[in-house]
PDB file of all heavy atoms in Angstrom:
ATOM      1  N   ALA A  68      15.400  31.446 -28.737  1.00 97.00           N
ATOM      2  CA  ALA A  68      16.452  31.969 -29.612  1.00 97.00           C
ATOM      3  C   ALA A  68      16.537  31.152 -30.899  1.00 97.00           C
ATOM      4  O   ALA A  68      16.757  31.699 -31.983  1.00 97.00           O
ATOM      5  CB  ALA A  68      17.791  31.958 -28.885  1.00 97.00           C
ATOM      6  N   THR A 429      10.114  44.618 -31.489  1.00 94.00           N
ATOM      7  CA  THR A 429       9.627  45.972 -31.223  1.00 94.00           C
ATOM      8  C   THR A 429       9.570  46.791 -32.512  1.00 94.00           C
ATOM      9  O   THR A 429       8.835  47.758 -32.596  1.00 94.00           O
ATOM     10  CB  THR A 429      10.532  46.695 -30.202  1.00 94.00           C
ATOM     11  OG1 THR A 429      11.882  46.527 -30.629  1.00 94.00           O
ATOM     12  CG2 THR A 429      10.357  46.131 -28.817  1.00 94.00           C
ATOM     13  N   THR A 434       9.272  36.873 -36.297  1.00 98.00           N
ATOM     14  CA  THR A 434      10.202  35.759 -36.422  1.00 98.00           C
ATOM     15  C   THR A 434       9.472  34.482 -36.060  1.00 98.00           C
ATOM     16  O   THR A 434       9.093  34.286 -34.904  1.00 98.00           O
ATOM     17  CB  THR A 434      11.411  35.941 -35.472  1.00 98.00           C
ATOM     18  OG1 THR A 434      11.935  37.256 -35.669  1.00 98.00           O
ATOM     19  CG2 THR A 434      12.477  34.906 -35.738  1.00 98.00           C
TER      20      THR A 434
END
Side-chain angles (χ1 to χ4, degrees):
T429 49
T434 310

